[in-house]
Amino acid sequence: MAEITQQPRRAPRPHGPGNRMAPGEKAKDFKGTIRKLLQYMGPYRVGLVAAVILAMASVVFSVVGPKVLGNATTEAIRGAQALAAGTGGIDFGLIGKILVTLLVIYLASAAASGIQSWIMTGITQKVVYRMRGEIAGKISKVPLSYFDGGAVSKGDVLSRMTNDVDTLSQSLNQGLIQLVTSLTQIVGVAVMMVTISVTLAGVTFITLPVSAVILGVVIRKSQKYFKLQQEQLGAVNGRVE
């Protein structure tokens, strides 16, 4: 914790609009910070791994669901065609079994998602509680001359005690699991597309990158016109005012 909370003393920055920190500033050592954070969360690694596995399971269940629902639809259409041809009828028993299986899959997905959220919320609150306690202990040992001497901004200290910890809490509780679920969903949807139709999946895999390239070119070419539009709109508003 000392490596995370202890920051080097920085020279005071002159006040003024030209010396404000730019929003969205990049971390100076992103990889090192992530490594230290993972080490700090070492006591909770079991729960963290369980939450990641449950998040992946929830996404897998939700991706498999439409495939099972498609089987029920296919069986209903086959039965309707057989009924119209006079060679059979709709097998409601089989359709019912498929729908029960679908219900179980969606319930499993919801249960996995709920348990994962409960685990991650608990881990996040424990980490934040521990971190706030260590920060408070650190601040209580710092002499008043550290704050009154002007070597450090009081806003920086308050930010580390409040905003930074809250941001870390939100990132752990939402960002980490969102990253895992997004990657799992991309892989799962791609696999399901290939199992349903290799041709349509290939068309989609080719179309998406081409669309992204075309969209990027259009955005670059049109950006200057949007800028000009805003400038002209500002001039008109200024004239009206």
Side-chain angles (χ1 to χ4, degrees), residues 70 85 138 146 148 151 153 160 191 201 228 240:
K138 181 72 175 180
Y146 180 75
D148 297 336
S153 171
R160 294 195 181 104
V191 172
L228 180 61
V240 171

Side-chain angles (χ1 to χ4, degrees), residues 215-228:
L215 184 61
V217 173
V218 172
I219 290 176
R220 284 197 301 269
K221 296 294 183 181
S222 61
Q223 192 68 32
K224 59 181 180 181
Y225 297 107
F226 283 106
K227 182 179 179 181
L228 180 61

Side-chain angles (χ1 to χ4, degrees), residues 1-2 5 40 129-139:
M1 183 59 204
T5 57
Y40 188 75
Y129 180 78
R130 174 187 169 193
M131 186 173 292
R132 287 188 185 278
E134 294 182 358
I135 292 176
K138 181 72 175 180
I139 294 298

Side-chain angles (χ1 to χ4, degrees), residues 1-81:
M1 183 59 204
E3 296 180 350
I4 297 179
T5 57
Q6 187 174 5
Q7 299 291 336
R9 179 171 297 184
R10 293 173 291 180
R13 294 189 299 268
H15 297 285
N19 295 285
R20 295 176 182 174
M21 183 175 294
E25 185 177 0
K26 295 183 179 179
K28 296 180 179 179
D29 187 10
F30 179 77
K31 294 182 179 179
T33 302
I34 294 297
R35 183 172 60 254
K36 292 179 182 178
L37 181 60
L38 292 177
Q39 293 176 354
Y40 188 75
M41 296 178 62
Y44 316 103
R45 64 171 63 93
V46 176
L48 186 61
V49 172
V52 171
I53 294 176
L54 288 172
M56 296 175 64
S58 176
V59 173
V60 170
F61 287 138
S62 64
V63 170
V64 173
K67 175 71 173 180
V68 178
L69 180 61
N71 295 335
T73 304
T74 301
E75 187 62 32
I77 293 176
R78 289 177 180 174
Q81 292 175 346

Side-chain angles (χ1 to χ4, degrees), residues 181-222:
T181 54
S182 298
L183 293 176
T184 306
Q185 190 169 18
I186 291 174
V187 175
V189 170
V191 172
M192 294 305 298
M193 289 173 60
V194 172
T195 58
I196 293 174
S197 176
V198 178
T199 303
L200 292 179
V203 171
T204 303
F205 295 153
I206 295 175
T207 302
L208 289 178
V210 173
S211 301
V213 172
I214 295 176
L215 184 61
V217 173
V218 172
I219 290 176
R220 284 197 301 269
K221 296 294 183 181
S222 61

Side-chain angles (χ1 to χ4, degrees), residues 44-207:
Y44 316 103
R45 64 171 63 93
V46 176
L48 186 61
V49 172
V52 171
I53 294 176
L54 288 172
M56 296 175 64
S58 176
V59 173
V60 170
F61 287 138
S62 64
V63 170
V64 173
K67 175 71 173 180
V68 178
L69 180 61
N71 295 335
T73 304
T74 301
E75 187 62 32
I77 293 176
R78 289 177 180 174
Q81 292 175 346
L83 183 63
T87 59
I90 301 176
D91 190 351
F92 290 101
L94 178 58
I95 294 177
K97 293 180 180 179
I98 296 175
L99 293 180
V100 170
T101 303
L102 180 64
L103 178 62
V104 172
I105 289 175
Y106 281 136
L107 289 177
S109 176
S113 178
I115 297 174
Q116 165 266 311
S117 299
W118 179 72
I119 293 175
M120 277 306 301
T121 300
I123 292 176
T124 300
Q125 294 304 316
K126 290 177 182 178
V127 170
V128 171
Y129 180 78
R130 174 187 169 193
M131 186 173 292
R132 287 188 185 278
E134 294 182 358
I135 292 176
K138 181 72 175 180
I139 294 298
S140 65
K141 297 178 181 178
V142 175
L144 293 178
S145 58
Y146 180 75
F147 302 100
D148 297 336
V152 64
S153 171
K154 296 181 178 65
D156 290 343
V157 177
L158 292 175
S159 177
R160 294 195 181 104
M161 294 179 63
T162 56
N163 298 340
D164 291 358
V165 177
D166 290 339
T167 301
L168 175 63
S169 174
Q170 295 176 4
S171 299
L172 290 178
N173 201 20
Q174 300 176 6
L176 177 61
I177 297 300
Q178 184 65 36
L179 176 62
V180 173
T181 54
S182 298
L183 293 176
T184 306
Q185 190 169 18
I186 291 174
V187 175
V189 170
V191 172
M192 294 305 298
M193 289 173 60
V194 172
T195 58
I196 293 174
S197 176
V198 178
T199 303
L200 292 179
V203 171
T204 303
F205 295 153
I206 295 175
T207 302

